[in-house]
Amino acid sequence: MMKKMMMNVWVKMMNPVQNERGAQSLEWLGLAALLILVLSIVSTAVGNQSEGIGNLIEKIITKITEMVG
């Protein structure tokens, strides 16, 4: 009796864990949301620059060159 009850509890607990049908979709949605967030931050940063993208990239390269030596 106790063994059967424990088996039923085990099955009820493990069934949602083994159901991974929506897990991959959820991961892709999270990745897409992260990509949109990063792109919006970059576009906001570039949009506020009056010099434009070329000068921004040049500044980044100059900083990296100064750091490396």
Side-chain angles (χ1 to χ4, degrees):
M1 172 85 174
M2 185 69 162
K3 184 176 179 180
K4 185 176 180 179
M5 188 173 77
M6 291 299 286
M7 288 295 287
N8 286 338
V9 169
W10 176 260
V11 169
K12 287 181 182 179
M13 283 176 37
M14 294 308 290
N15 192 26
V17 174
Q18 292 174 350
N19 183 6
E20 296 184 9
R21 234 180 292 174
Q24 188 175 12
S25 298
L26 189 60
E27 290 171 358
W28 280 110
L29 283 173
L31 187 61
L34 181 64
L35 182 63
I36 290 170
L37 179 67
V38 169
L39 288 176
S40 65
I41 290 171
V42 169
S43 67
T44 302
V46 172
N48 291 339
Q49 297 291 328
S50 60
E51 299 100 22
I53 296 176
N55 288 338
L56 181 65
I57 293 173
E58 184 179 333
K59 287 180 185 179
I60 292 172
I61 292 173
T62 304
K63 287 280 188 181
I64 291 173
T65 306
E66 290 172 0
M67 293 172 137
V68 173

